[in-house]
Structure formats: C-alpha cells, structure tokens
C-alpha cells in the first residue's frame, strides 16, 4: 500500500498563486507516474498535470503556461505550482500515483479561487 498526503490548498483571489504538495509513503517501489487531477462540483474528474519518474511532463490545455508540476524523487514528493489562478480552477485537487502496477489516490485538497 502507498499512502498519499496532500497539502497546500486554500482560498486565493483571482490571479493569485498556490503550491500543492503530495507526499508518498509506504510500499513505494517505483512511482512511475505521479499526477494531479481535479474535480469541480458537477463535473468529471480531469487530469491537470502528470510527471514521470524520468521527468517527462504533461499538462491539460487549460493550465499550460500557468501551472508547473515537479517531483523530488529523494523525498517521494510531488508539487504543483499554480500561478495566475482563475475562478474556473476551483475544485478539489487529488494526487495520483502509479506504483508497480497499482494506482493510488490521495484524499484531496480544496482549491478555491474567488473573483
């Protein structure tokens, strides 16, 4: 089992910034892919960004140029730097990892952007 703990969510004004963190612990073997997903009220969960163990990144079109994903393999931690936040970024953000053939989810952290 892998445990994921997210932190860094909160309330921010339009145009502001937040940094999310996701710390993984437990039976960590490879953490092949780590990613952030988000789910807004009434909408499906969607991929925000992902990063492989080799550092390759992928972003949703809606966040390109504003969000930056990174990871510290030594700390088994992933980050999401979110700049120029918009009200439409309001959602619960979930950490997701693919570890040795299994997928794990964090409990989620609320991000609210006020206009």
């Amino acid at each position: 089992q892998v445990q994921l703990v997210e932190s860094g969510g909160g309330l921010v004004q339009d145009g502001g910034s937040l940094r999310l963190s996701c710390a993984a612990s437990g039976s960590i073997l490879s953490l092949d892919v780590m990613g952030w997903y988000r789910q807004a009220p009434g909408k499906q969960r969607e991929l925000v960004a992902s990063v492989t163990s080799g550092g390759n990144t992928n972003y949703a079109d809606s966040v390109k140029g504003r969000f930056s994903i990174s990871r510290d393999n030594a700390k088994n931690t992933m980050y999401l730097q979110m700049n120029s936040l918009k009200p439409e970024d309001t959602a619960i953000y979930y950490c997701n990892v693919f570890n040795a053939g299994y997928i794990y989810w964090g409990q989620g952290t609320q991000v609210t952007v006020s206009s």
Side-chain angles (χ1 to χ4, degrees):
Q1 290 289 325
V2 172
Q3 293 77 45
L4 302 173
V5 178
E6 299 127 331
S7 61
L11 173 64
V12 65
Q13 289 187 334
D14 191 354
S17 298
L18 283 174
R19 188 191 194 209
L20 304 183
S21 299
C22 172
S25 62
S27 303
I28 296 171
L29 296 178
S30 55
L31 293 179
D32 302 297
V33 184
M34 303 181 76
W36 290 97
Y37 286 72
R38 67 187 181 186
Q39 187 166 19
K43 295 187 177 181
Q44 290 188 330
R45 191 172 297 190
E46 62 175 0
L47 173 67
V48 176
S50 63
V51 57
T52 68
S53 56
N56 294 318
T57 58
N58 180 49
Y59 294 92
D61 288 343
S62 59
V63 306
K64 283 181 180 177
R66 301 188 297 123
F67 291 11
S68 178
I69 190 171
S70 61
R71 60 189 285 174
D72 185 333
N73 292 329
K75 296 181 179 179
N76 294 324
T77 301
M78 171 179 64
Y79 306 95
L80 184 68
Q81 178 66 43
M82 304 185 294
N83 299 325
S84 302
L85 282 161
K86 305 175 181 180
E88 50 263 43
D89 294 317
T90 296
I92 300 175
Y93 283 70
Y94 296 92
C95 173
N96 166 284
V97 302
F98 183 75
N99 176 69
Y102 293 89
I103 296 173
Y104 299 90
W105 291 92
Q107 79 287 356
T109 184
Q110 178 70 48
V111 171
T112 303
V113 185
S114 63
S115 57

